Each structure stands twice: as C-alpha cells, then as structure tokens.
Amino acid sequence: MSHPSKSRSTISRPTLIRMAVRIGVVIALTTLVSYLHILRTIRTESLEHLARHVEERSQREQAIFVIAEDSHALIKQAFEERLRAGSQEDPTFRFDTLLELRPDGTIRNRPQGFDGTRMPGVWVAPGVNADTGFRRRLLAAYDVIAQYGPAYRTRHINTFIFLTEGVNVLYWPEVPNWTQDVAPDYPLLSFEYSTISRPQENPQRRMAWTRSYKDDTSGKWLVSAVTPVDQDGQHIATLGNDVLVDDLLSRTLVDRLPGAYNIIFRDDGQLIAHPEIKLDGGTVGYDILADRPPEGSRTGLPTAEQQAHLRSIFEAVKGRASGQTVVELSEYGEYIAVARMQGPGWNFVTVLPEHVVSSKAIEAARYVLVFGLVSLLLELLIMYWVLRDQISRPLRSFTQATAQVAAGDFGVSLETSREDELGQLARSFELMAGAVRQREEALRQANEGLEQRVEERTRELKDVHQQLMRTARQAGMAEIATNVLHNVGNVLNSVYTSAQLTRERMSKMKLEQVGRVAHMLQEREGELATFLTQDDRGRHLIPFLDRLGQNLLDDRGEILELIDDIGRYTEHIGDIVKVQQNHARMPRLQEPVSLAELVEDALRFTSSDFARNQVKVERQMAPLAPVLTDKHKVLMILVNLFSNARYAMDGVPPEERRLTVKLEPSASDRVRIEVRDNGVGIAPELFTRIFQYGFTTRQEGHGFGLHSSALAAQELGGSLTVHSEGVGQGATFVLELPLLSPGGPRGA
C-alpha cells in the first residue's frame, strides 16, 4: 500500500484565496455602489452649479445690452421733444451753416471746422428733397446726437439717427470721417438696421436688435440696437447704437467651467460664438439651420459632424420645457445649460460633457477601491497567521497520522486536549484507528475464505465461457449454411426456369411437322434417287434420310421426358433447400437505426472510389426519427447501389458526374431512399432483367448484380425499384422500407 506523498500545500492557501475572492467581490460591489452614489450626488451638484453659472453669466454679459435699452429710451424722448420744440423755427440759416451740397449730389458737413471726434457727422443720400420739414428733422437729430453721442461714448461704440429719406446722423469718434468718406451710393436704407424698424417689420414699434455682423470699416464684430421713431403715425427716423461684442465673444470662449465650453446663438439659428468654429471668414455668423455650403466656399465652416451636433443642441434648447435650464443630450453624452440674454434675445449655452461629471465619481470610487484592497491585504496577512497556527499545524499532524494508519501502524497519538472541533476530531480519529485495527483483522480472516470462493467461481466461469464459444460457433455455422443454401436455391431457380423454357419451346415442335418432313422425303425419294444415283455415294443417303425422319419422331418424345424429369428433380431439391434454410436460418435482430447516418456510412465506404473518379455527391436528407431495421442489409443495399451508380458514369465527362442521394418519407408508414445518377441509363428492354439472379452489365468477374439487393429489400419488408428515361439519361433506384419507430409500429 502506497503512502500519501508529502505536500507543501496547506489548507491555508485555498482558504485564503477563497476568502480573498469573496472579500474582493464585496469590495468591488461596495466600490460600484459608492461610485453610483457619488456619481448621482456629483451629477446633481454639477448640474445645479452649471445652472447657476449660466444664469450668472447671462446676467453679467447682458449688461451692455441693458445699458443700450436705457440709452435708447432717453435718446428717443429727447429727439421727440426736440422735434416739437423746433417745429416753428426757421432752419435755413443753421442748415446752410453746418452742411453743404456736394458735387456728387450728397449733403454732408462743411469740411471747415468739422471734427468727427467731437461732433456728429451728416450724410444725406443724393436726390433727397431738403424742404423745411426735412431740415427741421435733420437738425433735431443733429442736436440730439451732439448731446448724447459724446456722453454715451464709454457705453457704445457709436450713436446714430437714420431719417427715412436716407440720412445718417452719426457720432463715431473711432471713425470720425465716415460721413465724409462714404460713397454717394451707399445703400443705407437696405441694411438690416434700417429695415427692422419699419412698421411692417416691427409692428409693436419696440427696440430691435440686428444679427451680429463684422463691420467692413472697423473689422470688428458688432450688433446694432435700433428704436423706431414715429410722428403723427408716420415712421420718420430710427435711432440706434452699434454695440461691440468682440470682448463678449472672447469672454465666452475663454471664461468657462473646467471641461465645459460656451456657445451663443440666436433663436433664428445664427451662431454668434463657438470655440471650434472660427467666423472670421464671413461678415455674418454661421446659420445652424441652413444647408451646409460646399467645402471650401468659406473658411471657418463647421464639419458635417459639427453641423449635426449644433443642430442637436439647437433643437434641444428650442424643445425644452418652460423654465427648464439644464437639458441632457444623451446621444452625445452631454448636459446643456441655457439662459436667455436680455436685449438681442441670444441664448447663452454651456455644454458640459458627461465624462467630466463621471470622472470625479471615478476618482472617488478609485480611492474607495484602493483603500479596500489595502484593507484586504492586511486582513489576509492576519488570517494567514491565524490559519497557520490554529489549523494548518494540527491538520499536518492528522496527515501524518493518516499515513501511519495507511502503513498499518494503528498506534497513533494526537493532541486531544483541545476542546474545539479539532480536539474532537483527534479523539474520534484515535477511536477510528482502533476500529480499523479490528476491521483489518476481520478482513484478513474473511480474505482466506474469499480466495477459495474465487477459485470455485473461476472454474464456473470457464465452463460458461466454453458453452458460449460452442453456441457462437454453432451460430456462425448456421449463418454460413444459410448463405450457402441461399446461393444453391438461386442456382436451382435458374436451372428450373431454363428447363421450363426448353420444354415450352420443344412443345411447339408439333408431331405433324415432324411427320410432314418424313412424308416429304418419301414423296421425293424418286427424284432424290435419280439425283443421288448419279454418284455412287448417293445410294447410301436415301436409307440415312429414312432413318432420320424416324429418329426425329423418337428423339422428340425422349427429350420431353428428360425435361420433365429435370423439372421434378429441381423442385424436389428446392424443397430440400427450403427445409434446410428454415432450419439453419437465424433471425436477425432489428435495432433502432438512423437512416441518414447509414447513408453517410455507405458514402464513406465508396468515398475513395468517388474521389478517384471525380464524382460529386449531392445530399437531400430530410430529418427522420430512428427506425427499426437490419442495418447490415440496408448498408449492403446502399453500397451496391452507389457502386453501380459510379460504374454507370464511366462514359460521362468527369466534370459532369453527379450522384444525388435523397432521403424522405414516402407515405404514412414508409420511408424512401432515392439514388439518382447521370450515367449511361438503362434500356427499356432491360427493366425486366436487371433484378434477375446473375445479371450484370459489367465485365466478367466484376460485380454481383442487383438480385441480392432486391431480395434483401424484400426480406426487410420493402422494395427496390428502378426508373430511367432511356440510354444516356441516367437512372434512379428507389429503396422503400417500412417506417417502424423504436417504440413499435407507427400509430400504435
């Protein structure tokens, strides 16, 4: 008996590993729960902070627009008062003193004493009728701009009043000579800051804001605030300011939350500011809703991805609920905070990627995970020390005691003073060792009697083995006898058939025909004698002919008697063979067989022949349950059919050789195996002979024909049939078998 080998592995290691895995799972779950909780908390705080940030930024950035609205209210009031005060004055002298008619048809400031940094400039389009009422309105506008323009210089880049006749009264100290240098055909009334104050465009007659645009004179981004002025129900003027937004755009792009970015756009889709889309290539902002122009048409255009992203942001902002500040853009993993800017009605939007929020939660979860792993390591070290001292060492003593008992030494000694489970186990082990000693002695005594019983059983098994061998030898001899008798019966059938055919033909030779031959010889005896006597040898022929006629009559009767004897003897021998077959035949056992697997087995038996002759096999196998049949007979039939099909395709070009095997149910209680080839086919006159014994179209010594296959199909309760359209059309052999399930006949 071999002793258990000593191993350095102890129970501590797998125990620690299992505990480490379990604690690790707990730590992982704790980390996950912590991450989800922290993520939810940080997301809530971040979104609240994002909403506050957007509100504060919009309040701060809209100050320049609020100031412009306050300024317009004062300027409009002052302009209306000045119009009323000067309605009775004669403006001719003052008008001619300040302004002059230029050769290009425009009316502008006289260059003598004009200083655009301190006083307004005037530009009147050519063809304007400078009547008294027009002059009064122009001087009123001049006085108001002269008063409020320098006063609001620190608030606005410029201050102006447009008269509807085509007049611009402008104070713009940064461009003091604008009214002096502008072309006479300047389309003042066609620009947006002129059109949006018209009654049809602004029926409420409120202050309006233009789209942001890049000024072609200063090269800076501006937005114009305009307020219409009406007199007696007629639109007479538009007052306004150009507000410089370059600083606002810079702050929008630079002053942002960590990880976030800001954009500004109007309600109509005009993009005002974006950190990645440069608008310097055009004079107006990019239209988010417009179709994207072709690449290269203008620098600063967004990519297709940026355009789709901007549209998603725009739609999310426009579709948010009333009072909602933060919107989630899930398809891009972003949060969007929106605030309206008073004045131009711009949307100040801050986009915060979701990963910025989740990264803080991940950092906190990572700390929890690291702390848990360090704690796990310390716990494992402590547990390792406890397990080694309290468990591994006592268990090692048990292992040594087990090896001692296995070696046959039952005098083991363990520490039984402990009151825990290991102490109880030690006491139980010592009791077990004593019991094993007693069992060992009892087994030794029982073993002696067992050896004697084994010898007796061995002799009995030898006798049974010899009887089985004799039975098997008899079964083999019976099967050989059955095959021999079967072949003898086939030969006797052929002999009997040939004898009956011969007798049938001999019967057609009627007696009258033989007598007629003899009588004819007698009638022509004289002529034959004359002819034959011309030669000495002819004299001997006449007696011979007489004997011939008589012999024909005598021999016919004897031949018929012999044929009858052959038939009777053959039938007698056949009866003897049948009796011996019934005595020697051993019934074959039927077993559940998968016909699909049986077809595959038959194809494997002939696969090398098919491959060598380039025959391609096509399978059409319907799923069928196993059936009860003799698989050896079915396999013999299939191999024979496949071999004959391969032989029939010798005359077909190799690339055209096809063999199709089809398995399907043919009726409610039968199954059909069809083997179709595209070989030489079968002539119609051979259909009645193809299943006869010994018939084959191969060379002598090759093949066994289809007689045995047809006979085997009948023994299985089925049939084997053939069909062919003719020579060169291929042939189809159909094997039908009864469909019997392993549990009994179908439907039982």
Side-chain angles (χ1 to χ4, degrees):
M1 180 180 297
S2 60
H3 300 284
S5 59
K6 295 183 179 180
S7 175
R8 294 184 178 179
S9 62
T10 64
I11 195 174
S12 302
R13 184 180 302 171
T15 302
L16 288 174
I17 293 175
R18 285 193 295 268
M19 295 185 66
V21 171
R22 294 172 183 172
I23 297 175
V25 171
V26 173
I27 293 175
L29 292 176
T30 304
T31 304
L32 177 61
V33 172
S34 301
Y35 167 74
L36 295 176
H37 174 71
I38 296 171
L39 177 62
R40 183 167 56 251
T41 303
I42 292 179
R43 181 188 290 116
T44 302
E45 294 177 353
S46 299
L47 296 184
E48 292 176 353
H49 178 65
L50 180 63
R52 290 194 303 271
H53 167 78
V54 169
E55 292 291 343
E56 293 172 359
R57 284 294 302 272
S58 65
Q59 293 292 331
R60 187 165 64 250
E61 299 296 352
Q62 71 184 10
I64 57 175
F65 307 120
V66 175
I67 292 173
E69 291 180 350
D70 296 340
S71 302
H72 278 221
L74 293 175
I75 295 174
K76 181 179 180 180
Q77 181 180 359
F79 183 52
E80 291 174 345
E81 292 176 353
R82 184 68 183 83
L83 287 174
R84 289 191 296 270
S87 60
Q88 302 300 324
E89 296 180 356
D90 183 6
T92 303
F93 175 75
R94 189 162 175 244
F95 183 89
D96 293 336
T97 303
L98 291 173
L99 308 173
E100 66 176 3
L101 179 65
R102 298 287 179 90
D104 57 10
T106 62
I107 299 175
R108 311 187 191 218
N109 299 79
R110 292 181 178 277
Q112 300 85 3
F114 174 73
D115 184 0
T117 61
R118 296 184 298 105
M119 61 184 65
V122 178
W123 178 88
V124 181
V128 174
N129 183 16
D131 58 10
T132 302
F134 170 77
R135 293 187 179 195
R136 287 172 180 165
R137 291 194 299 275
L138 190 149
L139 291 176
Y142 182 87
D143 293 340
V144 171
I145 296 300
Q147 177 182 359
Y148 288 95
Y152 290 157
R153 179 176 181 179
T154 57
R155 295 185 177 184
H156 313 298
I157 186 174
N158 56 30
T159 306
F160 57 83
I161 294 179
F162 298 152
L163 300 182
T164 56
E165 291 85 354
V167 178
N168 184 7
V169 181
L170 169 68
Y171 177 72
W172 194 357
E174 282 76 14
V175 189
N177 295 322
W178 186 90
T179 57
Q180 299 292 321
D181 300 334
V182 68
D185 57 350
Y186 184 74
L188 176 68
L189 300 180
S190 63
F191 288 107
E192 183 182 11
Y193 41 65
S194 297
T195 60
I196 62 176
S197 62
R198 296 173 183 173
Q200 58 270 29
E201 300 292 338
N202 190 354
Q204 293 82 11
R205 316 307 290 154
R206 297 175 180 174
M207 180 180 181
W209 292 84
T210 66
R211 296 164 61 91
S212 64
Y213 61 92
K214 188 175 183 180
D215 182 62
D216 53 0
T217 301
S218 63
K220 297 180 180 180
W221 284 92
L222 309 174
V223 60
S224 299
V226 295
T227 300
V229 179
D230 298 338
Q231 187 178 40
D232 299 330
Q234 297 292 325
H235 178 213
I236 62 170
T238 299
L239 61 91
N241 302 105
D242 289 338
V243 179
L244 181 64
V245 294
D246 278 353
D247 293 341
L248 184 150
L249 299 182
S250 298
R251 289 192 302 272
T252 300
L253 302 181
V254 176
D255 186 6
R256 54 187 175 83
L257 291 176
Y261 62 93
N262 304 318
I263 59 175
I264 300 176
F265 55 81
R266 279 168 50 112
D267 288 340
D268 60 359
Q270 184 196 19
L271 182 64
I272 309 299
H274 192 283
E276 297 180 356
I277 300 176
K278 305 302 180 183
L279 304 177
D280 295 340
T283 58
V284 295
Y286 172 73
D287 190 354
I288 297 174
L289 302 179
D291 293 335
R292 189 168 179 269
E295 295 289 344
S297 60
R298 200 183 82 186
T299 58
L301 288 177
T303 62
E305 292 78 9
Q306 289 175 328
Q307 183 185 27
H309 191 192
L310 282 173
R311 287 189 177 182
S312 298
I313 294 175
F314 181 84
E315 293 171 357
V317 170
K318 300 299 290 184
R320 76 188 191 279
S322 178
Q324 184 180 7
T325 302
V326 179
V327 181
E328 183 178 3
L329 197 62
S330 58
E331 60 267 30
Y332 289 95
E334 296 173 337
Y335 296 103
I336 301 171
V338 187
R340 296 278 293 177
M341 298 177 65
Q342 183 179 346
W346 291 353
N347 297 288
F348 188 92
V349 178
T350 297
V351 181
L352 179 64
E354 195 276 337
H355 68 82
V356 175
V357 179
S358 60
S359 62
K360 298 178 181 178
I362 293 175
E363 289 294 331
R366 184 181 294 115
Y367 171 78
V368 174
L369 179 62
V370 172
F371 180 78
L373 292 177
V374 172
S375 300
L376 173 61
L377 181 60
L378 293 175
E379 291 175 1
L380 291 177
L381 291 175
I382 296 172
M383 291 175 61
Y384 173 74
W385 178 80
V386 173
L387 288 174
R388 185 185 62 179
D389 187 65
Q390 299 295 320
I391 297 178
S392 297
R393 189 173 300 166
L395 290 180
R396 191 176 298 112
S397 300
F398 280 107
T399 303
Q400 296 173 355
T402 302
Q404 184 178 349
V405 171
D409 183 4
F410 301 100
V412 296
S413 177
L414 296 173
E415 184 181 356
T416 59
S417 59
R418 297 178 55 160
E419 297 300 329
D420 55 9
E421 290 81 357
L422 290 177
Q424 297 175 7
L425 180 60
R427 290 189 289 272
S428 299
F429 191 90
E430 289 184 349
L431 293 175
M432 180 198 68
V436 170
R437 180 188 296 112
Q438 297 175 0
R439 296 281 181 87
E440 186 77 11
E441 181 63 25
L443 286 175
R444 185 185 61 78
Q445 295 176 0
N447 186 48
E448 295 177 356
L450 182 61
E451 291 179 356
Q452 183 178 358
R453 295 177 61 188
V454 168
E455 292 179 358
E456 295 175 356
R457 294 298 184 186
T458 302
R459 288 194 297 270
E460 294 176 0
L461 289 175
K462 289 181 180 180
D463 295 338
V464 173
H465 176 68
Q466 291 176 359
Q467 293 177 3
L468 290 176
M469 290 185 64
R470 286 195 295 270
T471 303
R473 188 179 300 110
Q474 292 174 359
M477 293 175 65
E479 186 171 357
I480 294 172
T482 300
N483 293 334
V484 172
L485 290 173
H486 173 71
N487 293 328
V488 171
N490 291 338
V491 175
L492 289 175
N493 288 335
S494 299
V495 173
Y496 181 80
T497 302
S498 300
Q500 294 301 317
L501 183 61
T502 304
R503 190 182 190 286
E504 189 176 320
R505 292 182 179 178
M506 288 296 296
S507 297
K508 294 179 181 179
M509 297 177 60
K510 296 181 179 180
L511 181 60
E512 291 80 7
Q513 293 174 343
V514 178
R516 192 180 297 116
V517 173
H519 180 69
M520 183 182 64
L521 291 175
Q522 292 175 358
E523 287 180 351
R524 299 296 181 180
E525 181 179 359
E527 296 177 4
L528 289 172
T530 303
F531 172 75
L532 295 174
T533 52
Q534 294 178 2
D535 188 348
D536 294 337
R537 292 172 297 179
R539 292 192 302 269
H540 303 286
L541 181 59
I542 294 174
F544 172 77
L545 292 175
D546 292 336
R547 290 192 302 271
L548 177 61
Q550 186 63 36
N551 291 338
L552 287 174
L553 294 175
D554 297 337
D555 293 343
R556 174 182 175 275
E558 294 177 359
I559 292 172
L560 290 176
E561 291 179 359
L562 290 174
I563 292 175
D564 291 338
D565 291 341
I566 292 173
R568 288 195 305 272
Y569 297 153
T570 303
E571 288 179 351
H572 180 63
I573 296 173
D575 292 338
I576 295 174
V577 170
K578 289 181 180 179
V579 171
Q580 295 300 322
Q581 282 182 322
N582 293 332
H583 177 72
R585 181 181 291 115
M586 296 185 64
R588 291 185 177 272
L589 295 177
Q590 290 187 336
E591 57 184 326
V593 175
S594 172
L595 294 180
E597 295 179 359
L598 212 57
V599 170
E600 294 297 334
D601 290 341
L603 288 173
R604 280 194 293 272
F605 290 160
T606 55
S607 61
S608 60
D609 195 15
F610 284 170
R612 186 168 55 254
N613 291 275
Q614 303 182 23
V615 177
K616 296 179 177 59
V617 179
E618 297 179 358
R619 298 169 174 83
Q620 300 177 12
M621 314 291 283
L624 293 175
V627 298
L628 287 175
T629 188
D630 187 345
K631 68 177 181 180
H632 301 289
K633 288 185 178 180
V634 177
L635 184 62
M636 180 270 290
I637 296 172
L638 293 176
V639 172
N640 199 3
L641 292 179
F642 294 163
S643 177
N644 286 346
R646 207 288 303 158
Y647 178 81
M649 289 186 282
D650 283 347
V652 180
E655 65 274 9
E656 298 179 4
R657 296 174 182 174
R658 296 288 188 279
L659 176 68
T660 303
V661 183
K662 188 175 183 180
L663 173 63
E664 61 181 359
S666 63
S668 60
D669 59 347
R670 300 185 74 81
V671 65
R672 170 190 178 99
I673 302 177
E674 181 180 297
V675 179
R676 183 170 66 252
D677 64 74
N678 62 342
V680 296
I682 302 174
E685 60 269 22
L686 296 180
F687 282 169
T688 58
R689 301 178 55 198
I690 194 168
F691 295 114
Q692 292 180 0
Y693 176 80
F695 178 81
T696 179
T697 58
R698 306 194 194 183
Q699 297 178 0
E700 184 176 358
H702 297 276
F704 302 96
L706 294 170
H707 172 72
S708 60
S709 297
L711 185 62
Q714 294 177 2
E715 293 174 353
L716 293 172
S719 63
L720 179 62
T721 58
V722 63
H723 172 73
S724 176
E725 297 293 337
V727 178
Q729 301 299 319
T732 301
F733 288 84
V734 177
L735 173 63
E736 285 195 351
L737 298 173
L739 183 59
L740 299 177
S741 64
R746 190 183 179 108

Short mmCIF file of all heavy atoms in Angstrom, two decimals, residues 95 198 667:
data_model
loop_
_atom_site.label_atom_id
_atom_site.label_comp_id
_atom_site.label_asym_id
_atom_site.label_seq_id
_atom_site.Cartn_x
_atom_site.Cartn_y
_atom_site.Cartn_z
N PHE A 95 -28.97 125.30 -41.13
CA PHE A 95 -28.75 124.14 -42.02
C PHE A 95 -27.63 124.44 -43.00
O PHE A 95 -26.72 123.62 -43.21
CB PHE A 95 -30.06 123.83 -42.76
CG PHE A 95 -29.98 122.62 -43.64
CD1 PHE A 95 -30.27 121.35 -43.15
CD2 PHE A 95 -29.62 122.74 -44.98
CE1 PHE A 95 -30.20 120.24 -43.97
CE2 PHE A 95 -29.54 121.63 -45.79
CZ PHE A 95 -29.82 120.36 -45.28
N ARG A 198 -38.94 99.32 -39.61
CA ARG A 198 -40.10 99.69 -40.41
C ARG A 198 -41.37 99.10 -39.79
O ARG A 198 -41.33 98.06 -39.13
CB ARG A 198 -39.93 99.19 -41.84
CG ARG A 198 -38.75 99.86 -42.56
CD ARG A 198 -38.53 99.19 -43.90
NE ARG A 198 -37.37 99.76 -44.59
CZ ARG A 198 -36.85 99.27 -45.72
NH1 ARG A 198 -37.40 98.20 -46.27
NH2 ARG A 198 -35.81 99.86 -46.27
N ALA A 667 -44.72 7.78 -47.52
CA ALA A 667 -46.12 7.59 -47.14
C ALA A 667 -46.21 7.64 -45.63
O ALA A 667 -45.20 7.91 -44.95
CB ALA A 667 -46.64 6.25 -47.68
#
